[in-house]
């Protein structure tokens, strides 16, 4: 957190001119201009410390390798398969919606998405009661067998004070 791409290049002993070459080589450099905590970059340097290649994820499905020569920078894009796994969760509110979501195996992100799906029908700040329940069908996105991120809610039901609300994507 708080680290810029310039900081990362400097830590590798690479100057601003090399960073600019990398940025200029991209038609859409947004993946390099807007880095996020946890994002990984790989660098290949020759014996003299000159950058010969750099690898990063442009997005969840595309890995980019930039190849540096004295004359130019070329890129190779490797498409990576994403797997969507359908998940089902059910919870009963005893305290907070977040506690119920955690006990059901939902991430905070999914609990927020669930609340957003029913925000027009239920005021979760005032109308949530012990005994209210939910069921949700959602997908999780995996890449190369590793959980990458939460996907979308596909369908959900929320029972609030005995009244059933349903949402389908």
């Amino acid at each position: 957190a708080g680290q810029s791409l310039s900081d990362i290049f400097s830590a590798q002993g690479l100057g601003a001119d090399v960073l600019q070459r990398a940025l200029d080589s991209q038609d859409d450099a947004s993946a390099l201009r807007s880095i996020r905590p946890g994002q990984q970059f790989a660098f290949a340097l020759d014996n003299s410390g000159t950058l010969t290649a750099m690898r990063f994820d442009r997005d969840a499905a595309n890995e980019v390798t930039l190849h540096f020569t004295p004359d130019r920078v070329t890129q190779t894009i490797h498409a990576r398969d994403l797997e969507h796994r359908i998940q089902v969760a059910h919870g009963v509110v005893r305290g907070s919606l977040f506690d119920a979501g955690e006990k059901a195996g939902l991430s905070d992100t999914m609990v927020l998405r669930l609340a957003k799906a029913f925000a027009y029908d239920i005021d979760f700040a005032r109308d949530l009661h012990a005994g209210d329940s939910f069921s949700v069908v959602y997908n999780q996105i995996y890449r190369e067998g590793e959980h990458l991120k939460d996907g979308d809610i596909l369908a959900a039901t929320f029972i609030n004070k005995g009244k059933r609300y349903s949402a389908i994507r």
Side-chain angles (χ1 to χ4, degrees):
Q3 196 175 31
S4 69
L5 192 57
S6 179
D7 297 334
I8 294 169
F9 268 67
S10 292
Q12 298 297 314
L14 302 170
D17 59 323
V18 179
L19 171 57
Q20 193 60 52
R21 284 185 72 204
L23 292 170
D24 290 345
S25 72
Q26 303 292 289
D27 290 335
D28 177 9
S30 61
L32 292 175
R33 293 187 192 282
S34 302
I35 65 172
R36 302 169 315 280
Q39 190 172 353
Q40 297 182 6
F41 297 89
F43 297 90
L45 307 173
D46 66 14
N47 291 337
S48 67
T50 301
L51 181 65
T52 59
M54 172 187 174
R55 187 177 62 232
F56 62 94
D57 288 335
R58 173 170 287 151
D59 53 39
N62 293 291
E63 180 184 73
V64 175
T65 302
L66 299 179
H67 305 276
F68 292 80
T69 63
D71 300 337
R72 62 185 211 181
V73 179
T74 59
Q75 73 174 356
T76 305
I77 299 174
H78 173 67
R80 296 161 70 177
D81 291 333
L82 298 180
E83 177 186 358
H84 294 259
R85 296 182 189 175
I86 304 298
Q87 304 291 328
V88 177
H90 176 75
V92 177
V93 176
R94 301 280 179 233
S96 75
L97 182 59
F98 281 99
D99 288 341
E102 182 179 339
K103 288 178 183 166
L106 296 176
S107 68
D108 287 350
T109 300
M110 290 309 294
V111 172
L112 289 170
R113 289 179 185 167
L114 178 64
K116 185 178 179 182
F118 295 104
Y120 292 105
D121 299 310
I122 303 168
D123 181 344
F124 285 96
R126 295 185 306 153
D127 294 336
L128 197 61
H129 293 84
D132 288 353
S133 63
F134 61 86
S135 295
V136 59
V137 179
Y138 63 101
N139 67 37
Q140 289 183 324
I141 301 171
Y142 286 76
R143 182 178 63 204
E144 298 168 359
E146 191 174 312
H147 180 258
L148 187 62
K149 63 182 180 176
D150 291 323
D152 296 318
I153 291 178
L154 305 174
T157 300
F158 202 100
I159 299 174
N160 176 245
K161 296 187 283 186
K163 184 173 180 184
R164 177 182 303 268
Y165 299 91
S166 297
I168 299 173
R169 184 172 181 77

